[in-house]
Amino acid sequence: MRFEVLVLGNSSATPMYDRHPTSQVINFNEQLFMVDCGEGTQMQLYRYGIRSNKISHIFISHLHGDHYLGLIGLLSSMHLVGRKTDLHLYGPVGLDEILAVQFKYSDTQIRYNLIFHPTNPDQAEVLFESNSLKVSSFPLTHRIPCTGFRFDEAPRPRPLRIADAQRLKIPTAYYPLLKQGIDYTAPDGTIYQATDLTDPAPASRSYAFCSDTIRTPNYLPYVQDVDLMYHEATFLQELVSRAKETYHTTAQEAAEIAVETSAKKLLLGHYSARYKDLQPLLEEAQAIFPATELSQEGIWYLI
Amino acid sequence: MRFEVLVLGNSSATPMYDRHPTSQVINFNEQLFMVDCGEGTQMQLYRYGIRSNKISHIFISHLHGDHYLGLIGLLSSMHLVGRKTDLHLYGPVGLDEILAVQFKYSDTQIRYNLIFHPTNPDQAEVLFESNSLKVSSFPLTHRIPCTGFRFDEAPRPRPLRIADAQRLKIPTAYYPLLKQGIDYTAPDGTIYQATDLTDPAPASRSYAFCSDTIRTPNYLPYVQDVDLMYHEATFLQELVSRAKETYHTTAQEAAEIAVETSAKKLLLGHYSARYKDLQPLLEEAQAIFPATELSQEGIWYLI
């Protein structure tokens, strides 16, 4: 089952060098979720061949422009191309007011349901849950209220050994139950144990999005053990005091957080405009956490 | 003296094919003015090497997103890169409220003076006037209040025949007066006529920006005799009824307006996303007004 993240923007607030402000698309089994929506996101979606109408949920971390200014244009274009399906929008209180005033002056009545869910910047919350996926928010510490987001795949089915099940003449209707670990009792009373007929389930996958935040231990409990962590790395460690002043993180700090939370892989982003060459950020992080990559726009990363 | 317009965006509301929403920069003798500021304008400025801090005045035609959504990001970036000089912003009532709510939630106190001047959608007005340039707004007819803008160069100086002035021993301090057409009286009472010592002034140049509008005779008095007219041409004439419904113009109508107002040259733009190939729009307009060009992003057009 596909579980990947496409980075549409990896720049911090002043976009340069054809880097764009923050936005990502998460594809979970062909359902698309967006995280943040900086200016120009709709053009980035077009560039990378993503149909906006496949996006069902949008999560906005905070109300600095480089994380949401593309939202109103994207919502308007969804309207213009005839979207009919509901769109769920999660973000800080105030985002609704920002949208409302712009829809008012442009005299726009969008033709699909836009359902706004305010996020809580003070405590973790489950925002979305289906049979196969859960999305939660958790507090980050930035200059204004800000949350990160965590995507957790539900426990995955146990792969069935079909040849064995067929040989034992177990009705196919029971296969899904066996995959869930439920034993099968035959009409003659024989019990066939699910663990004997299935292999162990592959581990459930998880993704954490951490941008923007100062380094603090507060959010670490919410991002433990993820398969992929996206973490902002606005500065090099030599500018750690600048990072603290602006409530951002350095590449070294991001790597240390990945170590402390036992992440399997780390993806850096939210690069300051002062860095045209990003290699030093990568090297600084890899010295501490080797499984680090620089996020690049237009690339799908496996979770 | 330089007088040119750079097209940063020539797309209508749904940006596609690497076309961007409306924005233009007018360079008048190295003073930069911006007209409209669609989403992504700050990235377009960067792409074409324009320093945003050289822009002194921004004019917004109306509050549809494809004409102003890049403004808040541009204003924020000007703040982040340390702008100190005043910025004059002209646009419809409501633009100030849209900015204020976004600055409030992002907790931004910009460090330069942003001076907002509401435009009048009901009658023409002079918005800016210097010794050498005048900028006016005039009413257009769109779904929401909308104005066009006209840039008029002041009467230009008469080129001085310097060799003649030197031969007659006219003090150099009087040269600027002669260029303005003011005669010189020598200490002995001899009058030297400015017209004898100068050539006729070159014609003053003018530019009109007309987007978005339905075809109507109402604004034609305000755009007479310009050297360059930018006019929206959202549709081909075969979709004239769609143009009327959406309060837009066809390429043929734009050309007819150029004829009726005695424009010297016509530049088309605001192309619908339905046209990947723009040649038919050009051909339709040129059949009526041969001095038509398709505006292309990144090109400076002489006025």
Side-chain angles (χ1 to χ4, degrees), chain A:
Chain A
M1 202 188 295
R2 199 171 166 188
F3 194 13
E4 298 174 18
V5 56
L6 171 68
V7 174
L8 294 173
N10 57 18
S11 171
S12 65
T14 314
M16 290 176 89
Y17 321 122
D18 201 32
R19 300 200 297 243
H20 296 76
T22 303
S23 183
Q24 304 187 349
V25 172
I26 288 101
N27 182 329
F28 181 77
N29 195 25
E30 302 312 319
Q31 184 174 13
L32 300 189
F33 300 82
M34 175 171 278
V35 172
D36 281 353
C37 187
E39 182 176 354
T41 293
Q42 62 173 323
M43 281 86 108
Q44 291 291 85
L45 286 173
Y46 180 79
R47 180 190 282 193
Y48 298 117
I50 308 295
R51 294 179 58 161
S52 66
N53 279 347
K54 289 185 70 183
I55 297 168
S56 56
H57 297 71
I58 299 179
F59 303 90
I60 301 293
S61 63
H62 67 299
L63 296 183
H64 280 153
D66 56 322
H67 293 259
Y68 83 89
L69 286 182
L71 184 62
I72 182 88
L74 177 62
L75 298 180
S76 301
S77 290
M78 285 173 166
H79 162 75
L80 288 172
V81 300
R83 183 186 180 106
K84 294 280 183 291
T85 51
D86 292 357
L87 182 69
H88 291 269
L89 174 64
Y90 304 79
V93 169
L95 183 55
D96 47 344
E97 186 182 340
I98 288 170
L99 296 178
V101 69
Q102 297 188 78
F103 284 138
K104 178 179 83 173
Y105 285 110
S106 64
D107 193 23
T108 302
Q109 284 86 34
I110 54 173
R111 282 183 289 258
Y112 56 91
N113 281 326
L114 176 63
I115 303 131
F116 178 65
H117 309 266
T119 49
N120 186 335
D122 299 319
Q123 62 179 61
E125 281 188 328
V126 175
L127 301 179
F128 167 84
E129 193 159 18
S130 72
N131 286 339
S132 50
L133 182 72
K134 183 172 76 175
V135 186
S136 321
S137 65
F138 54 87
L140 293 172
T141 304
H142 196 45
R143 294 199 298 285
I144 58 173
C146 184
T147 69
F149 300 105
R150 179 175 172 141
F151 290 70
D152 283 290
E153 186 179 29
R156 298 171 75 178
R158 299 173 64 92
L160 182 67
R161 288 191 224 115
I162 291 179
D164 290 351
Q166 286 173 335
R167 184 174 44 78
L168 295 169
K169 300 196 174 1
I170 294 173
T172 54
Y174 288 86
Y175 288 4
L177 300 174
L178 288 167
K179 290 179 185 177
Q180 289 175 50
I182 298 168
D183 300 336
Y184 168 63
T185 306
D188 67 2
T190 311
I191 293 173
Y192 297 92
Q193 294 203 311
T195 48
D196 293 339
L197 289 164
T198 57
D199 291 320
S204 297
R205 296 162 291 178
S206 52
Y207 173 62
F209 170 87
C210 308
S211 178
D212 301 3
T213 188
I214 199 168
R215 187 191 184 157
T216 150
N218 298 349
Y219 63 95
L220 304 193
Y222 307 115
V223 294
Q224 292 292 320
D225 301 315
V226 295
D227 292 272
L228 181 65
M229 172 182 284
Y230 173 90
H231 203 289
E232 70 133 302
T234 309
F235 299 107
L236 284 169
Q237 187 65 16
E238 64 189 21
L239 289 179
V240 65
S241 61
R242 177 92 185 122
K244 290 198 191 311
E245 276 165 35
T246 56
Y247 286 78
H248 283 297
T249 316
T250 68
Q252 180 181 313
E253 290 174 331
E256 289 167 353
I257 289 162
V259 170
E260 290 166 25
T261 59
S262 311
K264 291 208 182 60
K265 214 168 139 184
L266 173 65
L267 202 53
L268 301 182
H270 203 266
Y271 313 122
S272 164
R274 76 189 63 216
Y275 306 118
K276 185 170 185 182
D277 175 15
L278 303 171
Q279 198 61 24
L281 291 158
L282 179 64
E283 287 167 11
E284 180 173 292
Q286 281 184 332
I288 289 159
F289 187 78
T292 303
E293 265 193 76
L294 290 172
S295 69
Q296 291 180 63
E297 298 183 1
I299 304 287
W300 284 100
Y301 294 92
L302 288 177
I303 294 170

